[in-house]
Amino acid sequence: MRKLFLLMVVLCLAATLAAAQTQPAASVCEIHVNKVKPGMASQYEQARAKHMAWHKGQNDSWSWAVWEITTGEGTGNYLVGSCGHDWKDFDGRDKFQAADSTNASSTMGPYLASDTMGYYVQRPDLSPATPSGPPPPYLSVTHFFLRPEGVLDFSDGVKKASAAMAKAMPNNPSNWYSLSNGGPGPEVVLVRDLKSISELQGVPGKTVDQIVQEAYGDQGAAVMVAIRKAYNRSYSELLHFRPDLSYMPAAAKP
């Protein structure tokens, strides 16, 4: 029984790695979550702005978007991300990263309770990737922590559900990502662009289950059941874009 369980885990991990190996170029995001000490949000924001001015002074070629987390278990934290990279982009930046860390520690360090970092990879195999553009006012982010034995079922179900949602909500930019390194996994994340908070409503009068059932008939319910059985837990959060705290090199600005 133990050998059978280990074989299942190996097969699931192999499937996850195979998916990661087929990712296109410029699909990697470096994500930081800054947890601010209680009562020090204002001081942190001033320090963050100074640190981004340092990036500008260094002519950093990477864009860094800052998002304030406004709902969920991370409320009050700040997410800082740089996306659109190849894996090779992270090599050769050691000297810059050392200087970056030194400046970040001196400016923001006194106001931070913690800073965590992870690498996420875009997953256009789960649904067509949304073309990159200026950051939207809000992001709706849903994290799914998968069961190792449920990775394939989750992927198959999401592909079907995403196709149904794309027809029901054609103007609903969204992207899927999977955690590559930096936290508990397997983790898959759905990120939806929002112009306003009211867009959290989705399709008025319809749930995701209803939309999927309309697309696949009697099989729709089975699709949603398979997806939900494939993960241990999920949670959602709303992110508010903070252009005043972000940095974009001149070449990256729209």
Side-chain angles (χ1 to χ4, degrees):
M1 181 63 70
R2 178 177 173 80
K3 290 183 178 180
L4 177 60
F5 174 77
L6 291 175
L7 177 60
M8 290 175 61
V9 171
V10 170
L11 290 175
C12 290
L13 290 176
T16 304
L17 291 173
Q21 291 172 354
T22 59
Q23 298 307 310
S27 63
V28 185
C29 295
E30 179 179 322
I31 301 296
H32 295 256
V33 176
N34 290 172
K35 183 177 181 180
V36 180
K37 292 179 180 178
M40 291 190 170
S42 178
Q43 294 94 322
Y44 165 80
E45 290 188 0
Q46 293 176 27
R48 168 57 69 182
K50 290 180 180 179
H51 181 61
M52 289 311 195
W54 178 88
H55 277 269
K56 182 177 181 179
Q58 299 297 312
N59 294 315
D60 187 7
S61 61
W62 290 21
S63 295
W64 294 95
V66 177
W67 306 81
E68 183 178 358
I69 302 176
T70 61
T71 66
E73 56 192 57
T75 298
N77 296 341
Y78 294 79
L79 186 148
V80 185
S82 185
C83 292
H85 299 290
D86 300 331
W87 280 115
K88 63 183 180 181
D89 294 343
F90 296 92
D91 295 322
R93 276 178 64 91
D94 294 350
K95 184 177 180 180
F96 181 91
Q97 287 175 338
D100 187 4
S101 296
T102 298
N103 185 268
S105 295
S106 64
T107 55
M108 297 179 292
Y111 316 115
L112 283 176
S114 66
D115 172 36
T116 58
M117 190 188 90
Y119 293 111
Y120 288 81
V121 179
Q122 196 169 19
R123 293 289 302 277
D125 58 309
L126 297 181
S127 67
T130 298
S132 60
Y138 298 94
L139 292 177
S140 172
V141 182
T142 306
H143 302 256
F144 298 91
F145 295 92
L146 309 185
R147 303 177 188 275
E149 67 274 17
V151 171
L152 295 180
D153 288 340
F154 185 86
S155 297
D156 290 342
V158 163
K159 291 175 185 178
K160 294 176 182 177
S162 295
M165 292 299 297
K167 291 182 180 180
M169 300 177 65
N171 298 315
N172 177 42
S174 61
N175 288 291
W176 285 90
Y177 298 85
S178 61
L179 175 67
S180 179
N181 189 278
E187 179 192 0
V188 182
V189 184
L190 172 61
V191 180
R192 288 178 53 210
D193 293 7
L194 303 177
K195 295 179 181 177
S196 64
I197 295 177
S198 63
E199 291 186 354
L200 284 172
Q201 180 183 11
V203 179
K206 291 185 179 181
T207 65
V208 174
D209 293 73
Q210 289 172 328
I211 292 171
V212 173
Q213 188 166 9
E214 288 177 0
Y216 299 103
D218 294 339
Q219 295 299 315
V223 170
M224 296 307 297
V225 168
I227 291 175
R228 292 186 174 115
K229 283 185 176 181
Y231 61 86
N232 289 306
R233 76 179 186 100
S234 68
Y235 76 89
S236 61
E237 55 190 0
L238 182 68
L239 276 55
H240 179 210
F241 180 53
R242 293 294 303 271
D244 55 321
L245 304 179
S246 302
Y247 165 75
M248 292 187 182
K253 293 180 180 179

